[in-house]
Amino acid sequence: MALPVLLVPMVAAQAAPQEIPEPTFGQEDTQPEQPILEPPGTETAPEDVDPGVIDGRRRPGYTPPLPERVTQNNEGAVRAPPPEAFPTDQVPIPDRWRLIETLGVVKERWFDPYHQNTLKGDRPLDPKKVKWLPIKGDDWFFGLNLISDTVLEPRTFPIPVGVQTTERPGSIDVFGKDASLVFSQTFILGLGLTKGNTAFKPPAVEYRVALAFNYNYVNVPEKRVLFVEPSKPSHRSDHFVGVQEAFIDYHLRNTSDRYDFDSVRVGIQPFQADFRGFLFNDNQLGIRFFGNRDNNRVQYNLAAFWRLEKDTNSGLNSVVQRPRDDFLFVANIYRQDFLIPALTSQFTVAYNRNREAGRVEVDDNGFPVRPALLGTLKGRDYDVVYLGYNADGRIGRINLTASAYGALGQDRNSFFTDRKADIRAFFGAAELSYDKDWMRFRLSGLYATGDGDPYDNKETGFDAVFENPIFAGADTSYWIRQTIPFAGGGRVIGVNGRNGILNSLRSSKEQGQSNFNNPGAVLVGAGADFDLTPEFRLSTNANHLWFENTATLQTLRNEGSIPRDIGWDLSAAAIWRPKATQNIVARLSAAALVPGKGFRDLFDNAEGNRNYYSVLANIIVSY
């Protein structure tokens, strides 16, 4: 057998090499017995010597006892080893934030939102320091949110001349000057108290309250635009405090060891029925059961909402008024990688039950909003079921968002006929985008059916419950941002709603009722986003809009024909985030409407302007 090589000191390098006798086979070994050389690391240590460590050195070839084997009973998941696998001479640290503060890496300051801060839930509360809070245990976290939202918005849109009086005596035109100015300042205070380490599992319980204070100022060039009384001025300042969130979120159970769960949330809470907010996107009073399954690949919602009244001028929730007789019930389910990988599919069923025919509602400025002052001016009840499919994800390199809804139900009193009418309306929208380095290119399309015959006891104009769409430029777009009054066809009626894309002929998106006797909408658009730097983005949009059917407009305006073409909506926005976070966001956008034949047929102005514009300057600061 091969013998080990022996290493000798350098001072013995001149010694004569020792001869190793050749082995003999089949003969009696007459050579003196040689000592057997053991492989290194197999020698038996004296009993009084630590076999593992000698004076701080590890003995060569020594293998210490290993911890118990970690068994994996949850294939596919990454699990931490059991406590037995950790050395017993190390002391665990309660949380990493106190460790880095002790080492001097971070020093907490209550006013600093960019680093670790107890006020924004980075570390648990010490119950001894907040004895006034009804909490027990060491896993309660406090979250404070402060938001300042400032809006300055000069714009032009068709403004009718007041019936009784005008700012310019002698004006005989139907439409007067069109320039106006809006300033709005909103402060939001949010407070949250959460139990449980939410990094890997849902919170055990969460309490949350959010209050919003709004101050707004509006200046328009004509009387009776802001107030119903002609004696009041054509400018207005107002303020309001709204309750935007006030809910309790309770964790019912975990359904798997990967923290699939069921929870319930009760109170005023945010809810968005689909990916882009086409059907319902609001903060409302309700109860919601929600959770997930299959490692979060499946998510579900079961919700019921009792809609609150809104303040007229701020759009905030008013809890000092009786809630509306308007209820929304929603059930939806999300499934990741459904139909194709990387695409999340959502199926929605929603039921809107409205019983406001017997109530007359007048807004804070004196204008009737329910019932809408259209047709026979009578109140309405209606029941509508929405069936929808929504998708969000990608197909290869193409990003895709799509929505499709059918609205089926009954209007108890159509304002054209004073009879029952069946509701049969449909909606579809899609956006495709392609990313190339720091650029994204978008194509958008939307189709909402309009009512082709107001007197056939069938309403086919699609309308939502409370839309807030993030689509085709969102509130950068002129048509989505501005409300166009339907002068001459109804009193205090808008063709469209502010921050809405549907031409629903409602008195108000916030306080009015859904209306399925409307001209519908068609949109085709293109846009591009350019991330010029990590802090600066330039976004552009070009949309062309049409009415889907102008039969209702012709009836209400007593006109023989009205073209469908609304015109071109062109917009651009510059967005700057100086800290490359969402704590400070500044946006400056401009939009223009180049009217088509249908818009020019409906509206005119005293100065003969063909185009309308809007500018939006917005600064959001968050803590």
Side-chain angles (χ1 to χ4, degrees):
M1 66 177 178
L3 298 178
V5 178
L6 300 180
L7 300 180
V8 296
M10 292 296 294
V11 294
Q14 303 297 328
Q18 297 183 2
E19 295 184 2
I20 301 177
E22 295 183 2
T24 59
F25 302 94
Q27 301 180 10
E28 183 179 353
D29 189 1
T30 59
Q31 298 295 328
E33 185 176 353
Q34 298 293 326
I36 299 177
L37 301 177
E38 301 289 347
T42 61
E43 299 89 347
T44 302
E47 295 182 358
D48 58 344
V49 177
D50 183 356
V53 178
I54 301 178
D55 296 334
R57 295 177 297 169
R58 188 172 72 85
R59 189 176 181 84
Y62 172 73
T63 302
L66 298 176
E68 295 182 7
R69 180 180 179 181
V70 178
T71 59
Q72 177 62 276
N73 57 10
N74 189 5
E75 296 184 4
V78 179
R79 298 176 61 88
E84 299 88 328
F86 294 97
T88 58
D89 59 344
Q90 297 181 8
V91 179
I93 301 298
D95 65 71
R96 60 188 182 275
W97 305 128
R98 289 183 176 86
L99 174 62
I100 62 175
E101 187 175 67
T102 301
L103 297 175
V105 178
V106 170
K107 183 174 179 59
E108 178 177 338
R109 295 177 294 182
W110 67 268
F111 56 86
D112 183 0
Y114 294 101
H115 295 92
Q116 285 68 41
N117 195 320
T118 303
L119 293 180
K120 62 186 187 74
D122 285 330
R123 63 172 60 175
L125 295 172
D126 185 351
K128 298 179 181 178
K129 296 182 179 180
V130 287
K131 296 181 180 180
W132 51 275
L133 284 177
I135 61 175
K136 296 180 180 180
D138 298 325
D139 56 349
W140 285 92
F141 295 83
F142 177 77
L144 171 67
N145 302 103
L146 297 172
I147 299 175
S148 170
D149 188 350
T150 307
V151 171
L152 181 63
E153 186 177 0
R155 73 261 177 96
T156 63
F157 61 91
I159 299 178
V161 172
V163 177
Q164 293 87 354
T165 184
T166 177
E167 286 284 2
R168 291 168 304 284
S171 290
I172 58 175
D173 295 301
V174 175
F175 293 92
K177 290 184 175 296
D178 54 17
S180 64
L181 175 69
V182 174
F183 172 79
S184 177
Q185 173 63 57
T186 304
F187 296 103
I188 301 175
L189 169 64
L191 304 173
L193 189 61
T194 305
K195 179 177 176 58
N197 188 346
T198 61
F200 305 104
K201 61 180 181 180
V205 63
E206 179 183 5
Y207 304 94
R208 183 157 185 83
V209 175
L211 304 177
F213 169 80
N214 174 265
Y215 169 82
N216 56 82
Y217 172 82
V218 184
N219 194 336
V220 297
E222 296 292 341
K223 298 278 190 177
R224 295 202 70 219
V225 174
L226 302 179
F227 299 101
V228 70
E229 298 95 336
S231 59
K232 288 195 173 183
S234 58
H235 57 85
R236 180 194 66 216
S237 61
D238 192 19
H239 62 276
F240 189 78
V241 176
V243 181
Q244 299 306 101
E245 290 182 343
F247 65 79
I248 300 175
D249 188 319
Y250 183 74
H251 181 69
L252 297 175
R253 61 171 181 164
N254 291 325
T255 60
S256 74
D257 53 3
R258 300 188 187 183
Y259 298 115
D260 291 330
F261 69 94
D262 294 316
S263 290
V264 60
R265 180 176 292 181
V266 181
I268 302 174
Q269 56 189 285
F271 185 77
Q272 185 168 314
D274 51 62
F275 296 109
R276 293 299 183 96
F278 288 119
L279 180 64
F280 181 81
N281 183 8
D282 197 13
N283 291 46
Q284 282 294 344
L285 175 64
I287 178 171
R288 172 182 165 223
F289 292 92
F290 63 100
N292 61 357
R293 293 294 188 276
D294 192 19
N295 305 320
N296 201 36
R297 293 188 180 96
V298 176
Q299 302 171 15
Y300 75 90
N301 288 283
L302 295 172
F305 295 98
W306 187 9
R307 295 183 63 190
L308 299 171
E309 286 284 4
K310 299 281 188 179
D311 175 64
T312 302
N313 299 323
S314 67
L316 300 177
N317 290 332
S318 176
V319 297
V320 297
Q321 295 177 268
R322 179 182 179 274
R324 299 177 56 174
D325 290 329
D326 193 19
F327 299 87
L328 177 66
F329 304 90
V330 181
N332 60 30
I333 185 168
Y334 299 77
R335 174 64 185 181
Q336 296 181 16
D337 301 323
F338 184 78
L339 299 180
I340 61 173
L343 186 71
T344 298
S345 293
Q346 182 217 48
F347 299 90
T348 298
V349 178
Y351 168 46
N352 186 201
R353 181 181 185 274
N354 186 282
R355 293 295 182 269
E356 296 179 309
R359 294 179 57 185
V360 175
E361 184 68 23
V362 178
D363 69 16
D364 297 336
N365 302 320
F367 296 104
V369 289
R370 293 196 304 272
L373 301 184
L374 285 173
T376 61
L377 310 182
K378 291 186 177 180
R380 298 187 301 123
D381 294 337
Y382 53 86
D383 298 272
V384 186
V385 175
Y386 294 91
L387 304 176
Y389 170 76
N390 301 277
D392 186 73
R394 60 182 177 84
I395 303 175
R397 290 290 304 276
I398 304 297
N399 304 308
L400 169 66
T401 295
S403 292
Y405 284 104
L408 312 173
Q410 187 179 72
D411 188 344
R412 304 295 181 87
N413 184 40
S414 172
F415 62 76
F416 280 105
T417 64
D418 279 343
R419 297 192 301 266
K420 293 182 179 180
D422 293 329
I423 298 171
R424 300 289 186 271
F426 301 93
F427 169 89
E431 182 176 276
L432 302 174
S433 64
Y434 180 82
D435 296 325
K436 178 65 175 179
D437 296 330
W438 44 274
M439 300 173 290
R440 168 171 287 190
F441 303 96
R442 293 177 279 105
L443 292 176
S444 304
L446 179 143
Y447 181 86
T449 58
D451 194 357
D453 185 353
Y455 298 103
D456 65 352
N457 295 327
K458 183 181 292 186
E459 300 177 359
T460 58
F462 184 87
D463 198 5
V465 181
F466 191 91
E467 59 167 334
N468 252 322
I470 307 171
F471 184 77
D475 55 1
T476 296
S477 159
Y478 180 93
W479 195 257
I480 294 177
R481 181 68 178 176
Q482 305 303 328
T483 299
I484 308 300
F486 186 46
R491 285 165 281 177
V492 201
I493 300 297
V495 175
N496 58 338
R498 190 168 175 84
N499 294 329
I501 201 169
L502 300 174
N503 303 320
S504 54
L505 296 180
R506 292 169 73 156
S507 58
S508 166
K509 185 181 75 172
E510 290 78 12
Q511 295 180 280
Q513 294 175 291
S514 297
N515 175 26
F516 300 92
N517 279 309
N518 67 62
V522 179
L523 177 148
V524 175
D529 301 325
F530 305 96
D531 290 326
L532 303 180
T533 70
E535 298 86 11
F536 185 80
R537 169 179 291 181
L538 179 65
S539 180
T540 60
N541 295 277
N543 303 321
H544 198 95
L545 300 112
W546 298 266
F547 297 114
E548 198 276 332
N549 196 306
T550 59
T552 54
L553 302 179
Q554 295 172 29
T555 301
L556 293 171
R557 286 284 293 263
N558 293 317
E559 291 192 32
S561 65
I562 296 177
R564 296 172 54 224
D565 187 12
I566 296 175
W568 283 97
D569 182 354
L570 310 174
S571 62
I575 303 170
W576 179 48
R577 302 181 305 155
K579 295 291 185 178
T581 68
Q582 295 301 111
N583 292 89
I584 302 176
V585 180
R587 178 174 56 155
L588 180 63
S589 64
L593 177 69
V594 182
K597 293 181 179 179
F599 192 93
R600 289 198 298 269
D601 186 280
L602 291 171
F603 307 106
D604 198 354
N605 55 65
E607 298 176 355
N609 295 330
R610 292 178 56 86
N611 303 330
Y612 296 88
Y613 71 87
S614 68
V615 175
L616 177 63
N618 180 216
I619 299 177
I620 299 177
V621 180
S622 304
Y623 173 86

